[in-house]
Amino acid sequence: MENMLRKLMDEIEGSTKAVRVLPCEDAAKDALKKAYSINSKSLLAVLLEQTGGMVIDNWIRFYGAGEINFVFRNKLFPFDEIVIAEDILGGLFLCLKNGSIGYFAPDCLELEDMEISLGQFLYWCLHGDTDTFYKDYRWEGWQKDVSNLKYSEGMAFYPFLWVDVENLESRSRKAVPIDEIIRLEFDFLEQMQGR
């Protein structure tokens, strides 16, 4: 695990993005080990057990054993898979059964297979073109706005992202608890599927 942790820290130091690794909390680490059985030699174990979470460009948040709490966040999701990260829009990144990372997209409320491994996903977050991935959802001055978000908050839009509108600027937005955004997504999805 030490080699993998060192490699992760090297990748973080080599990133041109703003990356913050949060400190671990013993209670969160204990809760994680009680609730989940994770291969201690895996990259996932390093992320979850050796960090309190990790924030990239104040936009993507990896879960860990600390302030961005893996156990707490996973209680919000009606998935069999585990969720390992979120974005400030309420998008969720999951470990799929086929070994790749899936993205629950807040603009269509569908789970999409990204067809990349956890290692590739982490590399993409640290070094890849996330700007293009999110280009339709970044507004003028977004960097300043998201730098003020707490790690328990996300950016809510109205009309909601899954509603068609002319452009992003026609939506109002405000900071709200991220769990509210996620619950609303699944409540709406359940209503749509119940028709």
Side-chain angles (χ1 to χ4, degrees):
M1 184 181 272
E2 281 184 26
N3 287 343
M4 206 168 287
L5 180 59
R6 196 173 307 115
K7 187 175 179 189
L8 172 62
M9 292 306 161
D10 288 345
E11 290 292 345
I12 290 168
E13 286 174 21
S15 176
T16 58
K17 301 182 183 194
V19 182
R20 179 154 187 231
V21 179
L22 305 178
C24 280
E25 297 170 6
D26 289 339
K29 193 183 282 194
D30 290 344
L32 172 64
K33 288 182 175 178
K34 283 179 188 169
Y36 294 91
S37 177
I38 296 168
N39 178 350
S40 63
K41 296 179 180 174
S42 68
L43 174 59
L44 183 59
V46 171
L47 288 168
L48 297 182
E49 297 174 14
Q50 301 299 313
T51 78
M54 185 170 63
V55 183
I56 301 170
D57 281 343
N58 294 310
W59 192 277
I60 296 174
R61 301 165 179 157
F62 280 83
Y63 301 161
E67 186 176 350
I68 307 177
N69 189 300
F70 173 79
V71 174
F72 172 76
R73 293 290 220 271
N74 268 273
K75 288 179 181 175
L76 298 173
F77 313 124
F79 292 123
D80 292 332
E81 297 88 355
I82 58 169
V83 183
I84 57 159
E86 68 193 21
D87 59 40
I88 62 151
L89 306 173
L92 308 171
F93 299 95
L94 299 85
C95 289
L96 301 178
K97 289 182 174 74
N98 66 5
S100 68
I101 297 299
Y103 180 61
F104 180 79
D107 59 349
C108 63
L109 303 182
E110 292 179 1
L111 183 57
E112 306 161 355
D113 190 337
M114 295 180 75
E115 300 181 353
I116 56 175
S117 68
L118 174 58
Q120 291 167 322
F121 171 62
L122 179 60
Y123 186 88
W124 173 76
C125 289
L126 290 170
H127 305 287
D129 188 5
T130 52
D131 289 333
T132 297
F133 186 79
Y134 287 111
K135 68 180 170 52
D136 293 335
Y137 301 102
R138 288 187 167 166
W139 58 95
E140 188 74 32
W142 69 267
Q143 294 96 331
K144 183 176 184 299
D145 292 346
V146 301
S147 70
N148 295 320
L149 286 178
K150 297 175 187 166
Y151 299 139
S152 59
E153 294 178 326
M155 194 62 74
F157 290 84
Y158 190 81
F160 304 118
L161 290 178
W162 58 84
V163 175
D164 285 336
V165 295
E166 193 173 317
N167 57 49
L168 186 67
E169 298 304 326
S170 64
R171 300 180 202 266
S172 63
R173 63 185 172 271
K174 68 175 183 174
V176 301
I178 190 73
D179 58 334
E180 282 184 23
I181 296 172
I182 292 166
R183 284 191 183 106
L184 183 64
E185 289 172 345
F186 291 120
D187 286 349
F188 191 80
L189 185 59
E190 193 176 325
Q191 289 173 26
M192 286 171 53
Q193 292 171 340
R195 286 184 194 170

